Amino acid sequence: MDDLCAEILTFGIFDKPLLYKIPGKLEEVLLVGMLVEVPFGKRKILGIVSKIYATDTGKSSYRVKEILSIRYDSSLLGEDLIDLIFWMGKYYAASHKMLLESMIPVAIRKNILPKFVTKISLLKTLSAGECEVLQRHSPKQFLLYEFLLKSGKSSGKSELEKFSPSALSALLSKGIAGKEFEKINRIVYDAPAGGQKKNITLTGEQRQAAEDIGKSLGEKKFCTHLLHGVTGSGKTEIYLDAIRRALVSGGDIIYLVPELALTPQTVGRIRRGIVLPAAQVVVWHSGLSEGERRDAWLAMATGEAKIVIGARSAVFAPLKNVKIIIVDEEHETTYKQAETPRYHARDVAVYRAKLLSAVCILGSATPSVESLFNVSQRKYKLNVLKNRIDGSKLPKVEIIDMRHERISREQKIISPRLGELIGGRLEAREQIILFLNRRGYSSAVFCNNCDYVATCPHCSTSLTYHKPQNLLRCHICNYAEALPAKCPRCGGRNILQSGVGTQKLAGVIGEMFPSARAERIDSDTMSTKDNFHKILTRFGNGEIDILIGTQMISKGLDFPNVSLVGIINVDGAMNFPDFRANERVFQSIIQVAGRAGRGSKPGIVAIQTRCPNSELLRVAIENDCEKFFKSEIAMRSEFFYPPFSHIIRLIFLGRNDTKTECFAKIFSSDLEKRSESLFEVRGPSPAAMQKANDRFRFSLVCFSKNVPSALGKIRESMDSLKITRDISIVIDVDPVDMG
């Protein structure tokens, strides 16, 4: 007789579904996607039900164990997410355990309890005589009774702080007042920052894009739209229109943003533009507390939430009926996960939309080369917004040739011309954004007497000086040491600093413009999820004159009083050894420049450079995405770079550099023999970051048109060659960082 069984994807070591028998008590209630507890050896582990079917377990050579219990009463993962796990496992060489951990937060696995607050309410109304007696004998009790009577509702502890605790205890013991526990949802960003305008009438370009996306929604078929709009063209209004259409048809929405810090203002725009209870618009990113993650995730999984807004992991939101997945600033490299599982949220979003027959909208002022190529191959539909929503012009760009600027020795950062522009904007009571994509005070500390440079003992990188703490810090492993008073090598006291970081830039601005109110935004200052929100609120209220920051301020900010953007140093990024370097510089310039002139005041962008004649710089200044794409795609075609191939990067890690390099070479030779012309193997070579966290790194790169086939051969090599414990291999499919 057949037994009812279930395949379980577990949080255990086996990277395949395990078969368990469904006990009679669970046969009527068990569903695909439920979180269950199962026996595994002598332990109990959690897993997700991926499949249910009848099978004759009696013929098996081993005894099939039974599922022990169900953790929640409803399915936590839909069938699309289960299918996504299997696809990502094959495409990104990721284990099912890692993918499950990415999808189901610890708060859910540990069954963290909901939050309850104590409420006090009046149970009995006293007569006039009883009131008189209470007031005479227990005046404090009477004051509390009177308060509860007048409030007419349950009161929380914070509202009763001014009353005596003993008076409260007495009223409770007498049965005059009662205590109850009320469950509350922890809602993130109740009053977020943001500058979204209300009741905006769509322009002709916007209407055309909105109708085109609406048509795809109506067809209920999978489709990907690339929304290519200049900065300030109103892409958010297109998103809002699509969200409204999806909600009308009963659909749910996933809205991805590239930075955790951008969620507050995005939430604000959505909550102002869409009439929904706050609890139905949830936030999801790594900065939430465990309690906030618990409430938000269950709101999605149970169908209470309709919209989720968050960083890359929000692509796994367990919403019940997803109709639209929006990927804002789709070109951003932050959508790529830097740790295992190394997925790209944009590509996962497109695939999940395909599984759901949903619409995926990729938006950007500077689309990635891969997305533009997919448009040319008719895989994506293109919607273009060429003009700013309010009719304002794109900012004027001024190149400041740093070869000819005379800068004082004390400042070294701000050219006289940029200083003049900043001063003029401050006098006009306009706001300024200064962009420098390097945090810290100075990027290197060295001895002027010998060749000593302060480097990290665990990584092959120089230490960055952070002035407020007087520390040298490694931005790879976070190692820190005090700034030496004298050279550790020669004993000399001529210790100098080179390079510029946001800390130093902020200090220089403070010296040049002491009356200006300046604030710095980078990963050092954004220690909590609320810091960015608070600073943006103050900036939007005009309480900050100059905003100084890294890549975090180059996207998504919409402040009409910003009339000047200064790009401090663009040259370092232009010469970075990565085939995507030009694309990143082009995107950064256009994105940060787009923060200027978004209101009625004309904007100007000042770029300080020692390469004023760079062709890349000229194309970026002209905001000519089409020209850049043509030149970039020609180069990539010649060298078989993406999108003409997929890159699979293998990183060999070991504590002994010679042994690790030797193994990488043996592996490369074995893999090349197995390639059968399916892919091209290049390397191995020392990684750009040759040492990190005390481990040496060597890189081997495969170029292939078929990722699963290439990964199969890589697995064969890994199985045939003995990998010692002190050497490990990291597989990174479609890497965006070749460091």
Side-chain angles (χ1 to χ4, degrees), residues 601-634:
K601 298 165 185 174
I604 185 168
V605 179
I607 304 176
Q608 295 186 161
T609 178
R610 292 185 176 276
C611 308
N613 299 318
S614 162
E615 176 66 15
L616 173 63
L617 210 54
R618 188 179 66 79
V619 175
I621 291 167
E622 293 172 356
N623 204 347
D624 195 337
C625 285
E626 186 176 350
K627 186 172 185 179
F628 172 78
F629 174 71
K630 286 180 179 178
S631 64
E632 189 71 7
I633 207 73

mmCIF file of all heavy atoms in Angstrom, residues 601-634:
data_model
loop_
_atom_site.group_PDB
_atom_site.id
_atom_site.type_symbol
_atom_site.label_atom_id
_atom_site.label_comp_id
_atom_site.label_asym_id
_atom_site.label_seq_id
_atom_site.Cartn_x
_atom_site.Cartn_y
_atom_site.Cartn_z
ATOM 1 N N LYS A 601 15.502 75.969 -10.010
ATOM 2 C CA LYS A 601 16.815 76.602 -10.109
ATOM 3 C C LYS A 601 17.716 75.799 -11.031
ATOM 4 O O LYS A 601 17.798 74.576 -10.912
ATOM 5 C CB LYS A 601 17.441 76.706 -8.713
ATOM 6 C CG LYS A 601 16.619 77.569 -7.762
ATOM 7 C CD LYS A 601 17.036 77.381 -6.322
ATOM 8 C CE LYS A 601 16.101 78.172 -5.412
ATOM 9 N NZ LYS A 601 16.355 77.921 -3.980
ATOM 10 N N PRO A 602 18.417 76.464 -11.967
ATOM 11 C CA PRO A 602 19.309 75.731 -12.876
ATOM 12 C C PRO A 602 20.445 75.072 -12.105
ATOM 13 O O PRO A 602 20.928 75.606 -11.104
ATOM 14 C CB PRO A 602 19.829 76.823 -13.818
ATOM 15 C CG PRO A 602 19.650 78.104 -13.073
ATOM 16 C CD PRO A 602 18.441 77.913 -12.216
ATOM 17 N N GLY A 603 20.859 73.898 -12.563
ATOM 18 C CA GLY A 603 21.903 73.162 -11.867
ATOM 19 C C GLY A 603 23.217 73.188 -12.619
ATOM 20 O O GLY A 603 23.262 73.379 -13.838
ATOM 21 N N ILE A 604 24.278 72.997 -11.864
ATOM 22 C CA ILE A 604 25.605 72.898 -12.470
ATOM 23 C C ILE A 604 26.350 71.750 -11.810
ATOM 24 O O ILE A 604 26.201 71.499 -10.606
ATOM 25 C CB ILE A 604 26.389 74.227 -12.326
ATOM 26 C CG1 ILE A 604 27.716 74.139 -13.086
ATOM 27 C CG2 ILE A 604 26.647 74.570 -10.863
ATOM 28 C CD1 ILE A 604 28.406 75.478 -13.242
ATOM 29 N N VAL A 605 27.117 71.026 -12.606
ATOM 30 C CA VAL A 605 27.941 69.929 -12.111
ATOM 31 C C VAL A 605 29.390 70.266 -12.404
ATOM 32 O O VAL A 605 29.746 70.543 -13.554
ATOM 33 C CB VAL A 605 27.562 68.596 -12.790
ATOM 34 C CG1 VAL A 605 28.454 67.465 -12.283
ATOM 35 C CG2 VAL A 605 26.105 68.271 -12.542
ATOM 36 N N ALA A 606 30.213 70.269 -11.366
ATOM 37 C CA ALA A 606 31.639 70.566 -11.522
ATOM 38 C C ALA A 606 32.434 69.290 -11.291
ATOM 39 O O ALA A 606 32.330 68.667 -10.238
ATOM 40 C CB ALA A 606 32.064 71.643 -10.532
ATOM 41 N N ILE A 607 33.222 68.900 -12.299
ATOM 42 C CA ILE A 607 34.004 67.672 -12.223
ATOM 43 C C ILE A 607 35.479 68.026 -12.191
ATOM 44 O O ILE A 607 36.005 68.606 -13.144
ATOM 45 C CB ILE A 607 33.714 66.740 -13.414
ATOM 46 C CG1 ILE A 607 32.215 66.423 -13.507
ATOM 47 C CG2 ILE A 607 34.530 65.465 -13.310
ATOM 48 C CD1 ILE A 607 31.839 65.591 -14.720
ATOM 49 N N GLN A 608 36.141 67.688 -11.091
ATOM 50 C CA GLN A 608 37.580 67.911 -10.979
ATOM 51 C C GLN A 608 38.314 66.696 -11.546
ATOM 52 O O GLN A 608 38.071 65.567 -11.134
ATOM 53 C CB GLN A 608 37.976 68.123 -9.518
ATOM 54 C CG GLN A 608 37.395 69.380 -8.909
ATOM 55 C CD GLN A 608 37.904 69.657 -7.509
ATOM 56 O OE1 GLN A 608 37.808 70.788 -7.034
ATOM 57 N NE2 GLN A 608 38.451 68.666 -6.830
ATOM 58 N N THR A 609 39.235 66.928 -12.492
ATOM 59 C CA THR A 609 39.936 65.817 -13.129
ATOM 60 C C THR A 609 41.286 66.263 -13.667
ATOM 61 O O THR A 609 41.488 67.441 -13.970
ATOM 62 C CB THR A 609 39.094 65.233 -14.276
ATOM 63 O OG1 THR A 609 39.820 64.179 -14.912
ATOM 64 C CG2 THR A 609 38.759 66.291 -15.323
ATOM 65 N N ARG A 610 42.187 65.321 -13.798
ATOM 66 C CA ARG A 610 43.463 65.547 -14.474
ATOM 67 C C ARG A 610 43.458 64.931 -15.871
ATOM 68 O O ARG A 610 44.481 64.897 -16.538
ATOM 69 C CB ARG A 610 44.613 64.960 -13.639
ATOM 70 C CG ARG A 610 44.847 65.703 -12.334
ATOM 71 C CD ARG A 610 46.059 65.181 -11.590
ATOM 72 N NE ARG A 610 46.303 65.971 -10.395
ATOM 73 C CZ ARG A 610 46.981 67.125 -10.354
ATOM 74 N NH1 ARG A 610 47.515 67.595 -11.478
ATOM 75 N NH2 ARG A 610 47.142 67.788 -9.237
ATOM 76 N N CYS A 611 42.298 64.426 -16.278
ATOM 77 C CA CYS A 611 42.150 63.827 -17.616
ATOM 78 C C CYS A 611 40.988 64.502 -18.343
ATOM 79 O O CYS A 611 40.000 63.838 -18.700
ATOM 80 C CB CYS A 611 41.915 62.330 -17.508
ATOM 81 S SG CYS A 611 43.119 61.433 -16.516
ATOM 82 N N PRO A 612 41.046 65.815 -18.565
ATOM 83 C CA PRO A 612 39.892 66.535 -19.122
ATOM 84 C C PRO A 612 39.550 66.147 -20.555
ATOM 85 O O PRO A 612 38.439 66.389 -21.013
ATOM 86 C CB PRO A 612 40.326 67.998 -19.044
ATOM 87 C CG PRO A 612 41.821 67.953 -19.078
ATOM 88 C CD PRO A 612 42.205 66.709 -18.341
ATOM 89 N N ASN A 613 40.493 65.515 -21.252
ATOM 90 C CA ASN A 613 40.259 65.169 -22.662
ATOM 91 C C ASN A 613 39.815 63.724 -22.846
ATOM 92 O O ASN A 613 39.767 63.231 -23.974
ATOM 93 C CB ASN A 613 41.539 65.429 -23.468
ATOM 94 C CG ASN A 613 41.949 66.890 -23.421
ATOM 95 O OD1 ASN A 613 41.108 67.788 -23.528
ATOM 96 N ND2 ASN A 613 43.244 67.140 -23.245
ATOM 97 N N SER A 614 39.485 63.059 -21.768
ATOM 98 C CA SER A 614 39.053 61.661 -21.842
ATOM 99 C C SER A 614 37.777 61.536 -22.663
ATOM 100 O O SER A 614 36.811 62.270 -22.465
ATOM 101 C CB SER A 614 38.823 61.122 -20.427
ATOM 102 O OG SER A 614 38.035 59.963 -20.456
ATOM 103 N N GLU A 615 37.776 60.578 -23.601
ATOM 104 C CA GLU A 615 36.590 60.327 -24.427
ATOM 105 C C GLU A 615 35.428 59.847 -23.556
ATOM 106 O O GLU A 615 34.278 60.222 -23.779
ATOM 107 C CB GLU A 615 36.924 59.282 -25.490
ATOM 108 C CG GLU A 615 35.733 58.851 -26.362
ATOM 109 C CD GLU A 615 35.207 59.966 -27.254
ATOM 110 O OE1 GLU A 615 35.910 60.984 -27.430
ATOM 111 O OE2 GLU A 615 34.084 59.818 -27.780
ATOM 112 N N LEU A 616 35.732 59.025 -22.566
ATOM 113 C CA LEU A 616 34.702 58.539 -21.651
ATOM 114 C C LEU A 616 34.047 59.705 -20.922
ATOM 115 O O LEU A 616 32.822 59.764 -20.795
ATOM 116 C CB LEU A 616 35.314 57.564 -20.644
ATOM 117 C CG LEU A 616 34.402 57.081 -19.506
ATOM 118 C CD1 LEU A 616 33.224 56.293 -20.058
ATOM 119 C CD2 LEU A 616 35.187 56.244 -18.511
ATOM 120 N N LEU A 617 34.843 60.649 -20.471
ATOM 121 C CA LEU A 617 34.329 61.815 -19.763
ATOM 122 C C LEU A 617 33.438 62.643 -20.681
ATOM 123 O O LEU A 617 32.376 63.123 -20.282
ATOM 124 C CB LEU A 617 35.503 62.651 -19.245
ATOM 125 C CG LEU A 617 35.305 63.447 -17.963
ATOM 126 C CD1 LEU A 617 34.830 62.560 -16.835
ATOM 127 C CD2 LEU A 617 36.600 64.151 -17.578
ATOM 128 N N ARG A 618 33.866 62.773 -21.925
ATOM 129 C CA ARG A 618 33.098 63.589 -22.875
ATOM 130 C C ARG A 618 31.721 62.971 -23.158
ATOM 131 O O ARG A 618 30.700 63.667 -23.179
ATOM 132 C CB ARG A 618 33.882 63.740 -24.187
ATOM 133 C CG ARG A 618 33.260 64.727 -25.171
ATOM 134 C CD ARG A 618 34.089 64.848 -26.419
ATOM 135 N NE ARG A 618 34.112 63.619 -27.189
ATOM 136 C CZ ARG A 618 33.118 63.228 -27.989
ATOM 137 N NH1 ARG A 618 32.032 63.976 -28.104
ATOM 138 N NH2 ARG A 618 33.211 62.111 -28.665
ATOM 139 N N VAL A 619 31.687 61.653 -23.340
ATOM 140 C CA VAL A 619 30.410 60.975 -23.600
ATOM 141 C C VAL A 619 29.493 61.075 -22.386
ATOM 142 O O VAL A 619 28.280 61.263 -22.512
ATOM 143 C CB VAL A 619 30.657 59.494 -23.983
ATOM 144 C CG1 VAL A 619 29.336 58.750 -24.123
ATOM 145 C CG2 VAL A 619 31.438 59.405 -25.284
ATOM 146 N N ALA A 620 30.081 60.966 -21.187
ATOM 147 C CA ALA A 620 29.282 61.072 -19.969
ATOM 148 C C ALA A 620 28.707 62.474 -19.815
ATOM 149 O O ALA A 620 27.555 62.650 -19.415
ATOM 150 C CB ALA A 620 30.131 60.710 -18.750
ATOM 151 N N ILE A 621 29.504 63.491 -20.131
ATOM 152 C CA ILE A 621 29.044 64.879 -20.032
ATOM 153 C C ILE A 621 27.884 65.133 -20.983
ATOM 154 O O ILE A 621 26.926 65.842 -20.668
ATOM 155 C CB ILE A 621 30.210 65.849 -20.333
ATOM 156 C CG1 ILE A 621 31.238 65.795 -19.193
ATOM 157 C CG2 ILE A 621 29.703 67.279 -20.510
ATOM 158 C CD1 ILE A 621 32.538 66.465 -19.522
ATOM 159 N N GLU A 622 27.938 64.493 -22.150
ATOM 160 C CA GLU A 622 26.871 64.648 -23.142
ATOM 161 C C GLU A 622 25.645 63.800 -22.807
ATOM 162 O O GLU A 622 24.618 63.895 -23.473
ATOM 163 C CB GLU A 622 27.395 64.256 -24.526
ATOM 164 C CG GLU A 622 28.473 65.203 -25.059
ATOM 165 C CD GLU A 622 29.109 64.678 -26.341
ATOM 166 O OE1 GLU A 622 28.762 63.546 -26.767
ATOM 167 O OE2 GLU A 622 29.949 65.389 -26.907
ATOM 168 N N ASN A 623 25.767 62.957 -21.765
ATOM 169 C CA ASN A 623 24.673 62.078 -21.352
ATOM 170 C C ASN A 623 24.198 61.207 -22.515
ATOM 171 O O ASN A 623 23.007 60.957 -22.692
ATOM 172 C CB ASN A 623 23.502 62.913 -20.810
ATOM 173 C CG ASN A 623 22.624 62.114 -19.857
ATOM 174 O OD1 ASN A 623 22.729 60.895 -19.768
ATOM 175 N ND2 ASN A 623 21.742 62.793 -19.161
ATOM 176 N N ASP A 624 25.169 60.724 -23.293
ATOM 177 C CA ASP A 624 24.858 59.975 -24.502
ATOM 178 C C ASP A 624 24.987 58.470 -24.239
ATOM 179 O O ASP A 624 26.024 57.857 -24.506
ATOM 180 C CB ASP A 624 25.800 60.406 -25.634
ATOM 181 C CG ASP A 624 25.314 59.947 -27.000
ATOM 182 O OD1 ASP A 624 24.536 58.974 -27.047
ATOM 183 O OD2 ASP A 624 25.706 60.561 -28.009
ATOM 184 N N CYS A 625 23.932 57.878 -23.704
ATOM 185 C CA CYS A 625 23.945 56.451 -23.383
ATOM 186 C C CYS A 625 24.082 55.584 -24.631
ATOM 187 O O CYS A 625 24.746 54.544 -24.609
ATOM 188 C CB CYS A 625 22.668 56.068 -22.631
ATOM 189 S SG CYS A 625 22.640 56.601 -20.906
ATOM 190 N N GLU A 626 23.450 56.019 -25.706
ATOM 191 C CA GLU A 626 23.484 55.226 -26.943
ATOM 192 C C GLU A 626 24.898 55.136 -27.499
ATOM 193 O O GLU A 626 25.358 54.063 -27.894
ATOM 194 C CB GLU A 626 22.545 55.849 -27.983
ATOM 195 C CG GLU A 626 22.410 55.003 -29.238
ATOM 196 C CD GLU A 626 21.401 55.579 -30.226
ATOM 197 O OE1 GLU A 626 20.669 56.522 -29.853
ATOM 198 O OE2 GLU A 626 21.355 55.081 -31.356
ATOM 199 N N LYS A 627 25.603 56.263 -27.492
ATOM 200 C CA LYS A 627 26.981 56.279 -28.003
ATOM 201 C C LYS A 627 27.888 55.437 -27.118
ATOM 202 O O LYS A 627 28.727 54.684 -27.605
ATOM 203 C CB LYS A 627 27.490 57.720 -28.075
ATOM 204 C CG LYS A 627 28.851 57.849 -28.739
ATOM 205 C CD LYS A 627 29.212 59.317 -28.945
ATOM 206 C CE LYS A 627 30.517 59.444 -29.706
ATOM 207 N NZ LYS A 627 30.881 60.865 -29.945
ATOM 208 N N PHE A 628 27.709 55.565 -25.802
ATOM 209 C CA PHE A 628 28.530 54.776 -24.891
ATOM 210 C C PHE A 628 28.259 53.290 -25.105
ATOM 211 O O PHE A 628 29.198 52.477 -25.147
ATOM 212 C CB PHE A 628 28.233 55.150 -23.434
ATOM 213 C CG PHE A 628 28.912 54.237 -22.449
ATOM 214 C CD1 PHE A 628 30.256 54.394 -22.164
ATOM 215 C CD2 PHE A 628 28.207 53.201 -21.844
ATOM 216 C CE1 PHE A 628 30.893 53.530 -21.284
ATOM 217 C CE2 PHE A 628 28.838 52.338 -20.967
ATOM 218 C CZ PHE A 628 30.182 52.503 -20.678
ATOM 219 N N PHE A 629 27.000 52.911 -25.247
ATOM 220 C CA PHE A 629 26.653 51.503 -25.420
ATOM 221 C C PHE A 629 27.292 50.934 -26.686
ATOM 222 O O PHE A 629 27.837 49.820 -26.674
ATOM 223 C CB PHE A 629 25.134 51.339 -25.482
ATOM 224 C CG PHE A 629 24.684 49.946 -25.808
ATOM 225 C CD1 PHE A 629 24.820 48.914 -24.886
ATOM 226 C CD2 PHE A 629 24.124 49.648 -27.044
ATOM 227 C CE1 PHE A 629 24.407 47.627 -25.185
ATOM 228 C CE2 PHE A 629 23.710 48.364 -27.356
ATOM 229 C CZ PHE A 629 23.851 47.340 -26.422
ATOM 230 N N LYS A 630 27.267 51.694 -27.774
ATOM 231 C CA LYS A 630 27.834 51.203 -29.033
ATOM 232 C C LYS A 630 29.328 50.945 -28.912
ATOM 233 O O LYS A 630 29.838 49.914 -29.378
ATOM 234 C CB LYS A 630 27.556 52.204 -30.154
ATOM 235 C CG LYS A 630 26.107 52.204 -30.628
ATOM 236 C CD LYS A 630 25.893 53.226 -31.739
ATOM 237 C CE LYS A 630 24.442 53.189 -32.223
ATOM 238 N NZ LYS A 630 24.189 54.223 -33.272
ATOM 239 N N SER A 631 30.050 51.856 -28.282
ATOM 240 C CA SER A 631 31.500 51.668 -28.143
ATOM 241 C C SER A 631 31.813 50.546 -27.160
ATOM 242 O O SER A 631 32.732 49.750 -27.370
ATOM 243 C CB SER A 631 32.165 52.969 -27.689
ATOM 244 O OG SER A 631 31.716 53.345 -26.402
ATOM 245 N N GLU A 632 31.044 50.470 -26.092
ATOM 246 C CA GLU A 632 31.289 49.456 -25.072
ATOM 247 C C GLU A 632 30.958 48.064 -25.591
ATOM 248 O O GLU A 632 31.698 47.101 -25.344
ATOM 249 C CB GLU A 632 30.457 49.774 -23.821
ATOM 250 C CG GLU A 632 30.776 48.930 -22.618
ATOM 251 C CD GLU A 632 32.113 49.232 -21.983
ATOM 252 O OE1 GLU A 632 32.769 50.207 -22.398
ATOM 253 O OE2 GLU A 632 32.509 48.480 -21.060
ATOM 254 N N ILE A 633 29.859 47.929 -26.333
ATOM 255 C CA ILE A 633 29.451 46.611 -26.819
ATOM 256 C C ILE A 633 30.412 46.107 -27.885
ATOM 257 O O ILE A 633 30.655 44.896 -28.009
ATOM 258 C CB ILE A 633 27.988 46.648 -27.355
ATOM 259 C CG1 ILE A 633 27.333 45.257 -27.229
ATOM 260 C CG2 ILE A 633 27.923 47.135 -28.790
ATOM 261 C CD1 ILE A 633 26.987 44.875 -25.820
ATOM 262 N N ALA A 634 31.020 47.020 -28.641
ATOM 263 C CA ALA A 634 32.012 46.622 -29.639
ATOM 264 C C ALA A 634 33.262 46.060 -28.960
ATOM 265 O O ALA A 634 33.816 45.039 -29.392
ATOM 266 C CB ALA A 634 32.390 47.826 -30.505
#
